[in-house]
Amino acid sequence: MLPSTAMNSSMHGNGVLSSRDAARHTAGAKRYKYLRRLFRFRQMDFEFAAWQMLYLFTSPQRVYRNFHYRKQTKDQWARDDPAFLVLLSIWLCVSTIGFGFVLDMGFFETIKLLLWVVFIDCVGVGLLISTLMWFISNKYLVKRQSRDYDVEWGYAFDVHLNAFYPLLVILHFIQLFFINHVILTDTFIGYLVGNTLWLVAVGYYIYVTFLGYSALPFLKNTVILLYPFAPLILLYGLSLALGWNFTHALCSFYKYRVK
């Protein structure tokens, strides 16, 4: 059945959704459905979520084309399957344990670091960034002729998760192989490698975020989301000139957290 056919069949003669169908499409109903599926692993499509994680590195535009398809078939931009969030959480836990091992932390210190990273760095900061971007996009980026449309908060959160995943893999996994023997050696090569990884990771975050909001046809001027590239590159050059080591600062911060 075509999406338009399914939609028309749920409408009354005047083209208005019935109360039952209208309730099903409310934000609360979508959120409840998402949270309910969070505890039903057999209903999650982990293969498709893994495919998205791969393409976030190689071709992130393909990931957002799938969001268009979801809007056409399920009338929502945000994910309705929490499989991506579950796999991201696994990545976060494993990589943080790896960080604890590389920094020679004890068992309880590693668990404490894991709780900090999951609930503060990922969930807390993620909710803050998603809410901020949701507000800014709805307040300033919606086209004048598209005021009947708005950015779903769930979609803003999905965009953050999409952008956060490459950053996580680069800084919390790939970087682990270079920390002790290269990055923390207090040499130019050390902070060149470390800061370059930071440049690539944060650059990925900015670019994937831009793609997420530029994929929405009712938004305008989304190119401004690429503007942070300018201060990022400037900061990168300045860090190399002054010998700043971002990874060394991160490791010191992690150790301070678990004291």
Side-chain angles (χ1 to χ4, degrees):
M1 181 181 293
L2 296 174
S4 58
T5 305
M7 181 63 70
N8 290 336
S9 64
S10 64
M11 292 182 178
H12 294 302
N14 57 2
V16 179
L17 285 172
S18 67
S19 58
R20 180 179 178 181
D21 291 319
R24 187 176 61 189
H25 286 79
T26 62
K30 294 175 183 178
R31 184 163 53 247
Y32 171 75
K33 180 181 178 181
Y34 183 89
L35 293 175
R36 185 179 60 182
R37 292 189 66 180
L38 191 59
F39 301 98
R40 299 181 178 180
F41 293 99
R42 293 184 178 180
Q43 295 183 7
M44 298 184 194
D45 191 346
F46 290 106
E47 182 179 353
F48 182 68
W51 172 87
Q52 289 184 316
M53 287 182 164
L54 173 64
Y55 278 104
L56 282 172
F57 274 101
T58 60
S59 181
Q61 297 92 335
R62 295 186 64 174
V63 176
Y64 287 112
R65 281 201 291 270
N66 176 260
F67 281 77
H68 271 280
Y69 176 75
R70 184 182 301 109
K71 177 62 177 177
Q72 294 172 353
T73 57
K74 299 183 179 180
D75 194 31
Q76 71 178 62
W77 290 97
R79 289 186 178 97
D80 60 343
D81 184 351
F84 186 92
L85 178 60
V86 172
L87 291 184
L88 179 64
S89 301
I90 295 174
W91 261 102
L92 187 62
C93 292
V94 172
S95 63
T96 302
I97 292 173
F99 233 107
F101 176 78
V102 169
L103 297 182
D104 198 26
M105 294 182 179
F107 175 78
F108 292 105
E109 290 177 326
T110 302
I111 295 300
K112 188 175 180 180
L113 176 64
L114 179 62
L115 295 176
W116 268 100
V117 170
V118 170
F119 292 104
I120 303 299
D121 298 346
C122 182
V123 177
V125 176
L127 293 176
L128 180 63
I129 293 177
S130 302
T131 302
L132 180 63
M133 291 301 299
W134 168 77
F135 173 79
I136 292 175
S137 58
N138 281 317
K139 182 72 173 180
Y140 302 106
L141 300 182
V142 176
K143 296 176 182 178
R144 185 179 300 273
Q145 63 271 28
S146 303
R147 289 298 176 182
D148 292 336
Y149 297 91
D150 66 336
V151 178
E152 302 168 7
W153 186 91
Y155 182 77
F157 187 64
D158 280 338
V159 170
H160 166 72
L161 294 181
N162 290 344
F164 180 74
Y165 173 70
L167 182 146
L168 171 69
V169 172
I170 294 171
L171 296 183
H172 255 231
F173 180 70
I174 297 177
Q175 186 173 229
L176 293 180
F177 298 97
F178 302 96
I179 285 183
N180 286 332
H181 300 292
V182 179
I183 298 176
L184 299 184
T185 56
D186 199 24
T187 62
F188 176 77
I189 295 298
Y191 53 80
L192 173 65
V193 172
N195 291 2
T196 300
L197 288 174
W198 277 85
L199 174 68
V200 174
V202 178
Y204 252 113
Y205 186 92
I206 295 172
Y207 180 62
V208 175
T209 298
F210 159 73
L211 290 178
Y213 289 94
S214 63
L216 300 180
F218 52 87
L219 295 185
K220 62 180 180 179
N221 300 329
T222 53
V223 70
I224 65 173
L225 299 178
L226 294 176
Y227 288 178
F229 267 114
L232 174 64
I233 295 174
L234 179 62
L235 181 62
Y236 173 72
L238 191 62
S239 70
L240 296 182
L242 299 178
W244 296 342
N245 191 323
F246 297 139
T247 302
H248 185 276
L250 176 67
C251 292
S252 298
F253 178 62
Y254 277 178
K255 290 180 179 179
Y256 173 78
R257 272 181 163 180
V258 300
K259 284 184 177 179

